[in-house]
Amino acid sequence: MTCSLLLHLPFFLLLLSHAQSAATTGQWQLLQKSIGIVGMHMQLLPNDRVVIFDRTDFGLSNLTLPNGTCRKNSHELVVKNDCTAHSIEYDIVSNTFRPLFVQTDVWCSSGSLFPDGTLVQTGGFNDGDRAVRTFTPCPTCDWHEIDIGLAARRWYATNHILPDGRQIIIGGRRQFNYEFYPKTQAKNTYSLPFLVQTNDAVAENNLYPFVFLNVDGNLFIFANDRAILFDYTNNNVVRTYPQIPGGDPRCYPSTGSAVLLPLRNVHARSVEAEVLICGGAPRGAFQQGLSGRFIGALKTCGRIKITDPNPKWEMETMPGARVMSDMVMLPNGNVLLINGAAVGTAGWEMGRDPVLNPFIYKPDGKTGSRFELQKPSNVPRMYHSSAVLLRDGRVLVAGSNPHTYYNFSNVLFPTELRLEAFSPWYLDLGFSNVRPRIVFPGLESRSKVKYAEALKVRFRVTEMLVRDSVRVTMLAPPFNTHSFSMNQRVLVLEPNYLSDVGKLMYEVGVTMPGSAILAPPGFYLLFVVHQEIPSRGIWVQIL
């Protein structure tokens, strides 16, 4: 063994220790004892603020609107003159928040970022079910609302950004159709019989369908226990995928979660795409819960290569059962499963046995050894919880209101107003010497980039650089609610070159994705990853 290798032996032992004792990794941090509202919906914005909101018909929240402002709404079902906030903007850097004013009911709504970074948020309940709300990132901005911006009522629908910058809005309760926003023609809807076919009596099980833009420009849509590949331009089903083994539902209220795994080799003539779906509840669990009988959640995940000519599900077993958990894509391409319960389904008072340990799923690991346990939280995150990735690699965790209204006592799981951050293992201080740090001059934060553009990214690593472990990833910040992160997408950009540009300073050259089908226009977090350890991200806007 050379002297150089001896000097770096502690780091390699640390990596070995991580592999051997994964259950002790990760850290939790309490950020706020109360943000005054329930974090039912969350979206990271490209100014490092997070918009968080809950329903307006919970009653009075624990956060007063400023300057004597009150929400006066004759259509409201609970409090018609409400001087409390039901939305906030959280400032990550300062760990502070400010109240926002939302007029119509956003309960169980959906959304996505527009290419310019504006949050476009659609639907909800009661007077909000056809509303469109926008929030533009700025220090003093607030919600702007269009009362009748949608053609149909959208409650429990799913949004996805399209290559042309529009959003498609799919489904919702008793809505077996889809529409687009903004409107470029008549405010019409388009029938989607697949949502009729996947609708279970009483339970439905096809709400908040899992939707991903495939690499061929069509949409992968999973509802209940099956999926289609859908040409939304021509309103045509291109392919029907096999039923997920076991035939149990994975969508709301059975509420598993799903991700599109990282897209790699994005400049190849043929790009592969895989979807991973984890957890959920057995068929009939919702009806059983209504009768006071709570069934154990599913402990399986299904993985399918949706671009294969003959796609088949590969089933895996998690370390434990999960329902209502969130799946968060991490900058290194791994998946974090966080929040949720081991028994029951989504719905009021329908979950039991909170799962406090996050799981990390490593897509490139061997089947049967892809999961790692992380340190548990001490805060149950049940129905109406949420989680989003932040630019520094932490995961922001909020919410949990498994019953109607703000009940803090005499209930099994009280309304939860605390805000936490989970730091995955790669943020442990022991890895600081091998953690890349993007430096300037070079690519500036909030840079505008073009499709197929050659990009130079400079970074610093204070330990020995393992050159063949360096890559660049870009991640679209999703809209998260009800265990599904809409528009979540990770692309891996393999280096064209890697060169030394100074002492412990390096430059990696990559080429941006070549089309809006691979990377819809908008803001992405860009990371340098070294030995699975990501840098702090920087914002880039691809147009």
mmCIF file of all heavy atoms in Angstrom, residues 213-215 260-266 271-274 306-307 329 472 474 489-494 517-519:
data_model
loop_
_atom_site.group_PDB
_atom_site.id
_atom_site.type_symbol
_atom_site.label_atom_id
_atom_site.label_comp_id
_atom_site.label_asym_id
_atom_site.label_seq_id
_atom_site.Cartn_x
_atom_site.Cartn_y
_atom_site.Cartn_z
ATOM 1 N N LEU A 213 -43.636 12.038 -17.876
ATOM 2 C CA LEU A 213 -43.351 12.249 -19.290
ATOM 3 C C LEU A 213 -42.288 11.253 -19.718
ATOM 4 O O LEU A 213 -41.158 11.271 -19.218
ATOM 5 C CB LEU A 213 -42.872 13.686 -19.514
ATOM 6 C CG LEU A 213 -42.500 14.063 -20.949
ATOM 7 C CD1 LEU A 213 -43.709 14.004 -21.876
ATOM 8 C CD2 LEU A 213 -41.857 15.451 -20.985
ATOM 9 N N ASN A 214 -42.647 10.385 -20.657
ATOM 10 C CA ASN A 214 -41.722 9.378 -21.146
ATOM 11 C C ASN A 214 -40.743 10.009 -22.145
ATOM 12 O O ASN A 214 -40.967 11.102 -22.668
ATOM 13 C CB ASN A 214 -42.505 8.228 -21.805
ATOM 14 C CG ASN A 214 -41.645 7.013 -22.068
ATOM 15 O OD1 ASN A 214 -40.560 6.860 -21.507
ATOM 16 N ND2 ASN A 214 -42.111 6.126 -22.944
ATOM 17 N N VAL A 215 -39.670 9.297 -22.444
ATOM 18 C CA VAL A 215 -38.621 9.823 -23.326
ATOM 19 C C VAL A 215 -39.053 9.862 -24.790
ATOM 20 O O VAL A 215 -38.327 10.408 -25.634
ATOM 21 C CB VAL A 215 -37.324 9.008 -23.174
ATOM 22 C CG1 VAL A 215 -36.758 9.164 -21.767
ATOM 23 C CG2 VAL A 215 -37.571 7.521 -23.491
ATOM 24 N N LEU A 260 -40.064 8.386 -11.343
ATOM 25 C CA LEU A 260 -39.333 8.048 -12.554
ATOM 26 C C LEU A 260 -37.865 7.999 -12.162
ATOM 27 O O LEU A 260 -37.315 8.999 -11.687
ATOM 28 C CB LEU A 260 -39.572 9.115 -13.626
ATOM 29 C CG LEU A 260 -38.813 8.946 -14.956
ATOM 30 C CD1 LEU A 260 -39.356 7.770 -15.745
ATOM 31 C CD2 LEU A 260 -38.898 10.236 -15.777
ATOM 32 N N LEU A 261 -37.226 6.846 -12.303
ATOM 33 C CA LEU A 261 -35.826 6.722 -11.903
ATOM 34 C C LEU A 261 -34.943 7.581 -12.816
ATOM 35 O O LEU A 261 -35.352 7.967 -13.917
ATOM 36 C CB LEU A 261 -35.405 5.253 -11.943
ATOM 37 C CG LEU A 261 -36.075 4.366 -10.878
ATOM 38 C CD1 LEU A 261 -35.676 2.909 -11.046
ATOM 39 C CD2 LEU A 261 -35.737 4.852 -9.458
ATOM 40 N N PRO A 262 -33.729 7.927 -12.365
ATOM 41 C CA PRO A 262 -32.888 8.853 -13.128
ATOM 42 C C PRO A 262 -32.704 8.439 -14.586
ATOM 43 O O PRO A 262 -32.458 7.260 -14.880
ATOM 44 C CB PRO A 262 -31.564 8.817 -12.369
ATOM 45 C CG PRO A 262 -31.944 8.486 -10.965
ATOM 46 C CD PRO A 262 -33.099 7.531 -11.096
ATOM 47 N N LEU A 263 -32.830 9.411 -15.466
ATOM 48 C CA LEU A 263 -32.590 9.187 -16.889
ATOM 49 C C LEU A 263 -31.096 9.309 -17.143
ATOM 50 O O LEU A 263 -30.480 10.330 -16.826
ATOM 51 C CB LEU A 263 -33.364 10.199 -17.728
ATOM 52 C CG LEU A 263 -34.884 10.169 -17.580
ATOM 53 C CD1 LEU A 263 -35.524 11.289 -18.397
ATOM 54 C CD2 LEU A 263 -35.452 8.808 -17.993
ATOM 55 N N ARG A 264 -30.518 8.270 -17.744
ATOM 56 C CA ARG A 264 -29.080 8.228 -17.998
ATOM 57 C C ARG A 264 -28.823 8.145 -19.503
ATOM 58 O O ARG A 264 -29.730 7.878 -20.290
ATOM 59 C CB ARG A 264 -28.444 7.023 -17.289
ATOM 60 C CG ARG A 264 -28.725 7.009 -15.781
ATOM 61 C CD ARG A 264 -28.175 5.757 -15.130
ATOM 62 N NE ARG A 264 -28.560 5.679 -13.713
ATOM 63 C CZ ARG A 264 -27.881 6.248 -12.727
ATOM 64 N NH1 ARG A 264 -26.769 6.923 -13.007
ATOM 65 N NH2 ARG A 264 -28.283 6.132 -11.477
ATOM 66 N N ASN A 265 -27.569 8.366 -19.862
ATOM 67 C CA ASN A 265 -27.186 8.303 -21.288
ATOM 68 C C ASN A 265 -28.159 9.108 -22.138
ATOM 69 O O ASN A 265 -28.672 8.637 -23.148
ATOM 70 C CB ASN A 265 -27.133 6.841 -21.760
ATOM 71 C CG ASN A 265 -26.160 6.008 -20.951
ATOM 72 O OD1 ASN A 265 -25.031 6.429 -20.700
ATOM 73 N ND2 ASN A 265 -26.597 4.837 -20.531
ATOM 74 N N VAL A 266 -28.390 10.352 -21.693
ATOM 75 C CA VAL A 266 -29.452 11.154 -22.305
ATOM 76 C C VAL A 266 -29.125 11.598 -23.730
ATOM 77 O O VAL A 266 -29.992 12.146 -24.417
ATOM 78 C CB VAL A 266 -29.789 12.373 -21.428
ATOM 79 C CG1 VAL A 266 -30.357 11.923 -20.099
ATOM 80 C CG2 VAL A 266 -28.572 13.275 -21.227
ATOM 81 N N VAL A 271 -32.941 6.228 -25.242
ATOM 82 C CA VAL A 271 -32.822 6.446 -23.801
ATOM 83 C C VAL A 271 -33.827 5.555 -23.081
ATOM 84 O O VAL A 271 -34.998 5.490 -23.469
ATOM 85 C CB VAL A 271 -33.068 7.921 -23.445
ATOM 86 C CG1 VAL A 271 -32.982 8.136 -21.940
ATOM 87 C CG2 VAL A 271 -32.073 8.813 -24.175
ATOM 88 N N GLU A 272 -33.352 4.859 -22.047
ATOM 89 C CA GLU A 272 -34.240 3.996 -21.281
ATOM 90 C C GLU A 272 -34.889 4.778 -20.150
ATOM 91 O O GLU A 272 -34.304 5.711 -19.596
ATOM 92 C CB GLU A 272 -33.458 2.810 -20.704
ATOM 93 C CG GLU A 272 -32.927 1.854 -21.757
ATOM 94 C CD GLU A 272 -32.218 0.656 -21.149
ATOM 95 O OE1 GLU A 272 -31.857 0.738 -19.948
ATOM 96 O OE2 GLU A 272 -32.026 -0.344 -21.857
ATOM 97 N N ALA A 273 -36.107 4.380 -19.794
ATOM 98 C CA ALA A 273 -36.830 5.003 -18.683
ATOM 99 C C ALA A 273 -37.449 3.908 -17.826
ATOM 100 O O ALA A 273 -38.053 2.964 -18.352
ATOM 101 C CB ALA A 273 -37.908 5.947 -19.196
ATOM 102 N N GLU A 274 -37.283 4.052 -16.511
ATOM 103 C CA GLU A 274 -37.845 3.098 -15.557
ATOM 104 C C GLU A 274 -38.683 3.828 -14.513
ATOM 105 O O GLU A 274 -38.327 4.920 -14.066
ATOM 106 C CB GLU A 274 -36.731 2.335 -14.836
ATOM 107 C CG GLU A 274 -36.043 1.272 -15.658
ATOM 108 C CD GLU A 274 -35.079 0.463 -14.797
ATOM 109 O OE1 GLU A 274 -33.930 0.901 -14.648
ATOM 110 O OE2 GLU A 274 -35.482 -0.591 -14.272
ATOM 111 N N ILE A 306 -40.269 1.168 -18.756
ATOM 112 C CA ILE A 306 -41.434 1.520 -19.571
ATOM 113 C C ILE A 306 -41.091 1.690 -21.044
ATOM 114 O O ILE A 306 -41.991 1.798 -21.881
ATOM 115 C CB ILE A 306 -42.122 2.786 -19.029
ATOM 116 C CG1 ILE A 306 -41.219 4.013 -19.129
ATOM 117 C CG2 ILE A 306 -42.566 2.571 -17.597
ATOM 118 C CD1 ILE A 306 -41.897 5.317 -18.705
ATOM 119 N N THR A 307 -39.805 1.717 -21.373
ATOM 120 C CA THR A 307 -39.387 1.834 -22.774
ATOM 121 C C THR A 307 -39.105 0.485 -23.422
ATOM 122 O O THR A 307 -38.830 0.433 -24.622
ATOM 123 C CB THR A 307 -38.128 2.711 -22.866
ATOM 124 O OG1 THR A 307 -37.172 2.273 -21.884
ATOM 125 C CG2 THR A 307 -38.465 4.169 -22.618
ATOM 126 N N MET A 329 -36.566 12.061 -4.804
ATOM 127 C CA MET A 329 -35.340 11.807 -5.552
ATOM 128 C C MET A 329 -34.212 12.646 -4.964
ATOM 129 O O MET A 329 -34.347 13.857 -4.768
ATOM 130 C CB MET A 329 -35.527 12.160 -7.024
ATOM 131 C CG MET A 329 -36.541 11.307 -7.763
ATOM 132 S SD MET A 329 -36.136 9.540 -7.796
ATOM 133 C CE MET A 329 -34.518 9.568 -8.580
ATOM 134 N N VAL A 472 -22.584 14.780 -13.179
ATOM 135 C CA VAL A 472 -23.422 15.951 -12.925
ATOM 136 C C VAL A 472 -24.871 15.507 -13.039
ATOM 137 O O VAL A 472 -25.237 14.775 -13.971
ATOM 138 C CB VAL A 472 -23.107 17.078 -13.930
ATOM 139 C CG1 VAL A 472 -24.082 18.242 -13.761
ATOM 140 C CG2 VAL A 472 -21.667 17.562 -13.757
ATOM 141 N N MET A 474 -29.098 16.826 -12.755
ATOM 142 C CA MET A 474 -30.027 17.953 -12.723
ATOM 143 C C MET A 474 -31.397 17.438 -12.314
ATOM 144 O O MET A 474 -31.854 16.391 -12.780
ATOM 145 C CB MET A 474 -30.070 18.693 -14.053
ATOM 146 C CG MET A 474 -30.240 17.862 -15.283
ATOM 147 S SD MET A 474 -30.072 18.811 -16.821
ATOM 148 C CE MET A 474 -31.562 19.824 -16.782
ATOM 149 N N ARG A 489 -38.122 14.830 -11.531
ATOM 150 C CA ARG A 489 -37.352 14.302 -12.666
ATOM 151 C C ARG A 489 -35.872 14.521 -12.408
ATOM 152 O O ARG A 489 -35.451 15.620 -12.026
ATOM 153 C CB ARG A 489 -37.782 15.018 -13.943
ATOM 154 C CG ARG A 489 -37.394 14.357 -15.251
ATOM 155 C CD ARG A 489 -38.027 15.119 -16.408
ATOM 156 N NE ARG A 489 -37.970 14.427 -17.676
ATOM 157 C CZ ARG A 489 -38.848 13.535 -18.107
ATOM 158 N NH1 ARG A 489 -39.881 13.218 -17.334
ATOM 159 N NH2 ARG A 489 -38.727 12.944 -19.283
ATOM 160 N N VAL A 490 -35.064 13.483 -12.614
ATOM 161 C CA VAL A 490 -33.614 13.574 -12.466
ATOM 162 C C VAL A 490 -32.960 13.094 -13.754
ATOM 163 O O VAL A 490 -33.325 12.041 -14.291
ATOM 164 C CB VAL A 490 -33.114 12.728 -11.278
ATOM 165 C CG1 VAL A 490 -31.591 12.700 -11.237
ATOM 166 C CG2 VAL A 490 -33.657 13.277 -9.965
ATOM 167 N N LEU A 491 -32.000 13.878 -14.245
ATOM 168 C CA LEU A 491 -31.212 13.490 -15.406
ATOM 169 C C LEU A 491 -29.748 13.433 -15.002
ATOM 170 O O LEU A 491 -29.255 14.304 -14.267
ATOM 171 C CB LEU A 491 -31.395 14.469 -16.561
ATOM 172 C CG LEU A 491 -32.818 14.575 -17.116
ATOM 173 C CD1 LEU A 491 -33.539 15.780 -16.517
ATOM 174 C CD2 LEU A 491 -32.817 14.659 -18.629
ATOM 175 N N VAL A 492 -29.047 12.410 -15.464
ATOM 176 C CA VAL A 492 -27.621 12.240 -15.187
ATOM 177 C C VAL A 492 -26.847 12.652 -16.430
ATOM 178 O O VAL A 492 -27.066 12.107 -17.518
ATOM 179 C CB VAL A 492 -27.300 10.786 -14.803
ATOM 180 C CG1 VAL A 492 -25.805 10.624 -14.531
ATOM 181 C CG2 VAL A 492 -28.122 10.357 -13.592
ATOM 182 N N LEU A 493 -25.943 13.616 -16.262
ATOM 183 C CA LEU A 493 -25.125 14.108 -17.368
ATOM 184 C C LEU A 493 -23.710 13.571 -17.201
ATOM 185 O O LEU A 493 -22.980 13.963 -16.279
ATOM 186 C CB LEU A 493 -25.119 15.640 -17.389
ATOM 187 C CG LEU A 493 -26.493 16.326 -17.362
ATOM 188 C CD1 LEU A 493 -26.329 17.841 -17.376
ATOM 189 C CD2 LEU A 493 -27.353 15.869 -18.534
ATOM 190 N N GLU A 494 -23.320 12.642 -18.060
ATOM 191 C CA GLU A 494 -21.992 12.046 -17.967
ATOM 192 C C GLU A 494 -20.949 13.041 -18.470
ATOM 193 O O GLU A 494 -21.175 13.776 -19.432
ATOM 194 C CB GLU A 494 -21.936 10.754 -18.785
ATOM 195 C CG GLU A 494 -22.908 9.673 -18.317
ATOM 196 C CD GLU A 494 -22.607 9.158 -16.928
ATOM 197 O OE1 GLU A 494 -21.450 9.330 -16.463
ATOM 198 O OE2 GLU A 494 -23.523 8.598 -16.287
ATOM 199 N N ILE A 517 -38.384 17.171 -24.509
ATOM 200 C CA ILE A 517 -39.024 15.908 -24.127
ATOM 201 C C ILE A 517 -38.238 15.259 -22.993
ATOM 202 O O ILE A 517 -38.813 14.717 -22.046
ATOM 203 C CB ILE A 517 -39.142 14.970 -25.339
ATOM 204 C CG1 ILE A 517 -40.154 15.536 -26.333
ATOM 205 C CG2 ILE A 517 -39.542 13.564 -24.911
ATOM 206 C CD1 ILE A 517 -40.243 14.748 -27.624
ATOM 207 N N LEU A 518 -36.918 15.314 -23.076
ATOM 208 C CA LEU A 518 -36.094 14.764 -22.002
ATOM 209 C C LEU A 518 -36.128 15.664 -20.771
ATOM 210 O O LEU A 518 -36.188 15.173 -19.643
ATOM 211 C CB LEU A 518 -34.658 14.587 -22.484
ATOM 212 C CG LEU A 518 -34.418 13.476 -23.505
ATOM 213 C CD1 LEU A 518 -32.988 13.522 -24.005
ATOM 214 C CD2 LEU A 518 -34.713 12.108 -22.896
ATOM 215 N N ALA A 519 -36.072 16.965 -20.977
ATOM 216 C CA ALA A 519 -36.050 17.921 -19.869
ATOM 217 C C ALA A 519 -36.991 19.064 -20.205
ATOM 218 O O ALA A 519 -36.598 20.007 -20.903
ATOM 219 C CB ALA A 519 -34.639 18.434 -19.638
#
